[in-house]
């Protein structure tokens, strides 16, 4: 999980949306990891904002999600990983 951006409930949506775009442009992939309703909400809002920004350049951002189980302080936690896919054929 070293190449995955972690999202918290207090993550700034504007900054995260810009980071999503920059990460994808630099490495060709972007994944977000969120645990909890607040963090998932921030991730979805940032993905929506990034999608809106990219739409001005005829690039469509989509993503798929999957559950991920991790252990934090000897406690099992379930989170969601969002994987970003961009399509320029709009």
């Amino acid at each position: 999980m070293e190449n995955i951006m972690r999202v918290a409930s207090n993550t700034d949506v504007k900054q995260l949306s810009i980071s999503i775009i920059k990460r994808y442009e630099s490495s060709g992939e972007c994944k977000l990891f969120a645990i909890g309703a607040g963090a998932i909400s921030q991730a979805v809002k940032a993905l929506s904002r990034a999608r809106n920004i990219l739409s001005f350049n005829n690039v469509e951002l989509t993503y798929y999600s999957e559950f991920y189980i991790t252990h934090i302080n000897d406690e099992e936690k379930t989170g969601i990983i969002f994987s970003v896919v961009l399509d320029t054929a709009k």
Side-chain angles (χ1 to χ4, degrees):
M1 293 215 0
E2 63 280 343
N3 198 21
I4 298 176
M5 292 190 286
R6 293 191 174 122
V7 181
S9 60
N10 62 350
T11 299
D12 182 80
V13 171
K14 184 177 178 181
Q15 267 317 115
L16 182 58
S17 63
I18 293 167
S19 296
I20 290 168
I21 295 167
K22 287 183 178 180
R23 173 72 61 96
Y24 194 89
E25 288 175 345
S26 69
S27 69
E29 70 174 356
C30 178
K31 292 186 178 192
L32 308 175
F33 178 60
I35 296 176
I40 292 168
S41 175
Q42 295 301 88
V44 171
K45 287 189 272 187
L47 287 164
S48 296
R49 190 172 195 283
R51 181 178 183 173
N52 188 37
I53 292 167
L54 290 170
S55 70
F56 291 110
N57 295 323
N58 292 325
V59 176
E60 184 173 345
L61 181 148
T62 56
Y63 63 89
Y64 60 92
S65 57
E66 59 190 278
F67 287 104
Y68 182 83
I69 298 172
T70 187
H71 291 85
I72 300 173
N73 297 331
D74 294 327
E75 194 175 326
E76 187 175 276
K77 297 281 186 176
T78 302
I80 295 182
I81 294 179
F82 298 93
S83 300
V84 175
V85 179
L86 298 183
D87 181 14
T88 56
K90 192 175 182 186

